[in-house]
Amino acid sequence: MPVNRNALIRYKTIDACLRRRNRKWTLEDLEEACSDALYEYEGIRKGVSRRSIQLDLQMMRSEKLGYNAPIIVVDKKYYTYEDPDYSIANIPLTQQDLGTLNEVVTILRQFKGFTHFREVDDMVNRLQHKIQMGKTQQRALIDFEKNELLQGLEHLEGLYAAVVAKRALTMTYQSFRSKNNQVFTLHPHFLKEFRNRWFVIGLRDEQEKPQIFALDRVQTFESNDQIPFRWDQNLDAGWLKDTIGVSKTSGQQRMLVKFRVSKDQAPYVMTKPFHHSQHLLEQAEDGSAIFTIEVVHNLELEREFLGFGQDLEILEPRLLRKRIRNRLEWAWALYQDKPIIQQDSPSS
């Protein structure tokens, strides 16, 4: 149930009073302490009534806020905690609390890398610690996927600002395949994260086709107000809706991929689909299953399938089936004792 700020201040004040066992607390004492706290924190001069304190004590004793405070009355006059170590600040988090905090942390973690959310970084770390410890001394039970060595996050805020402002950039970039830096004009349209790496998608120079650039390969960039921003209204996050990963060329058509998954891995593929278009086509008596997805053909797609090894077979289309077979043959050859005849890798 929602609790207003003033009530929370009163609960916290009453809790602090009852924890001080070197003094006996009457209703009048608690009234005075709460009135002083509200004046200090909120500037409220109107005192707190006895009725309000009685309702607060009743609420703290109840399960409505999860406190279940062991408040007792001594000599029919003085209020204290029956358990000397009790405090409303030490209440263990419930499973529902942990679930809610998990969702909040997942959302907040997406803002890491933005300097104006620097305070959020610290808050997220503290939230993660609280969740892991569950406000107890137990070992950490939750571990988020992260890459502490990830490069390029320092560019995230500036690129985001350029996307929002529709501002052209002069970018210095060095791809993994290039020995030298490239300097070009980029018209950034949106940002994309995949497998803990960030990418910026936009139009380069005067080219019409969208291109994708990894932030960890960006050397520098700066605004170029001398060049009008080129805007493509069709180039947004939806441009990659038929894509696994970020590799896609303009005009590339999606294909229907049909594949069989073994009985051991079928449940995993059912509960964690490769793509939102995934459809269960057939489930055999032996537990294996046949699925389909509609996606564009790229390297990330092949890597996802190869990760299942012998538990996944591509049935259609024939070209993709052949490429996966070639990759498996190449991998098999690497583990042979006899010398390998040098040949082109099927990576490209």
Side-chain angles (χ1 to χ4, degrees), residues 189-231:
H189 278 57
F190 69 97
L191 295 158
K192 168 73 174 179
E193 189 235 3
F194 180 70
R195 295 288 189 269
N196 275 327
R197 292 184 71 201
W198 281 91
F199 303 83
V200 57
I201 294 87
L203 302 175
R204 172 178 170 174
D205 296 323
E206 299 302 320
Q207 300 177 15
E208 296 297 328
K209 296 182 179 180
Q211 293 195 34
I212 303 163
F213 303 95
L215 266 61
D216 54 16
R217 307 309 301 164
V218 174
Q219 305 297 309
T220 62
F221 66 89
E222 59 182 11
S223 299
N224 191 336
D225 296 330
Q226 304 300 316
I227 299 178
F229 187 84
R230 293 174 51 222
W231 177 249

Side-chain angles (χ1 to χ4, degrees), residues 17-246:
C17 291
L18 299 187
R19 291 176 63 196
R20 292 172 55 189
R21 305 182 70 83
N22 60 340
R23 174 177 172 178
K24 295 181 177 181
W25 296 91
T26 65
L27 279 177
E28 291 77 9
D29 295 330
L30 296 177
E31 288 176 37
E32 183 178 356
C34 289
S35 297
D36 291 344
L38 286 174
Y39 177 73
E40 179 182 354
Y41 291 111
E42 299 294 318
I44 299 176
R45 296 180 179 274
K46 182 180 179 181
V48 179
S49 69
R50 173 177 294 197
R51 178 59 176 167
S52 294
I53 297 300
Q54 290 174 330
L55 291 175
D56 290 343
L57 292 169
Q58 181 180 346
M59 182 65 72
M60 292 173 67
R61 285 184 175 121
S62 72
E63 298 180 354
K64 292 183 178 180
L65 299 179
Y67 292 156
N68 294 302
I71 301 173
I72 60 174
V73 183
V74 179
D75 297 332
K76 299 182 180 181
K77 185 176 182 181
Y78 303 108
Y79 291 80
T80 187
Y81 284 141
E82 185 176 19
D83 180 357
D85 296 323
Y86 178 84
S87 171
I88 62 174
N90 295 332
I91 300 173
L93 294 173
T94 66
Q95 288 300 316
Q96 183 176 357
D97 294 334
L98 292 174
T100 301
L101 283 176
N102 262 323
E103 294 175 7
V104 172
V105 167
T106 301
I107 294 171
L108 290 178
R109 286 180 68 246
Q110 299 183 50
F111 292 99
K112 285 190 173 184
F114 290 83
T115 58
H116 55 285
F117 278 104
R118 222 168 250 160
E119 294 182 3
V120 172
D121 283 355
D122 182 60
M123 181 172 63
V124 168
N125 290 334
R126 283 184 281 129
L127 272 176
Q128 288 178 337
H129 176 72
K130 287 293 185 183
I131 294 174
Q132 290 170 349
M133 301 306 293
K135 287 194 174 182
T136 69
Q137 297 302 313
Q138 69 182 42
R139 60 187 174 85
L141 301 177
I142 301 176
D143 185 26
F144 292 94
E145 181 181 0
K146 53 187 175 293
N147 183 355
E148 301 297 345
L149 302 179
L150 186 63
Q151 299 180 15
L153 284 182
E154 67 273 15
H155 302 313
L156 193 56
E157 181 183 22
L159 290 172
Y160 175 78
V163 170
V164 173
K166 296 182 180 179
R167 183 180 298 122
L169 303 172
T170 297
M171 178 174 287
T172 303
Y173 187 84
Q174 184 177 11
S175 68
F176 287 120
R177 296 184 179 183
S178 176
K179 295 182 179 179
N180 302 314
N181 291 337
Q182 298 174 293
V183 180
F184 52 83
T185 300
L186 177 68
H187 306 267
H189 278 57
F190 69 97
L191 295 158
K192 168 73 174 179
E193 189 235 3
F194 180 70
R195 295 288 189 269
N196 275 327
R197 292 184 71 201
W198 281 91
F199 303 83
V200 57
I201 294 87
L203 302 175
R204 172 178 170 174
D205 296 323
E206 299 302 320
Q207 300 177 15
E208 296 297 328
K209 296 182 179 180
Q211 293 195 34
I212 303 163
F213 303 95
L215 266 61
D216 54 16
R217 307 309 301 164
V218 174
Q219 305 297 309
T220 62
F221 66 89
E222 59 182 11
S223 299
N224 191 336
D225 296 330
Q226 304 300 316
I227 299 178
F229 187 84
R230 293 174 51 222
W231 177 249
D232 183 346
Q233 62 179 359
N234 297 317
L235 185 56
D236 57 20
W239 187 66
L240 292 173
K241 66 181 180 181
D242 56 2
T243 307
I244 292 178
V246 294

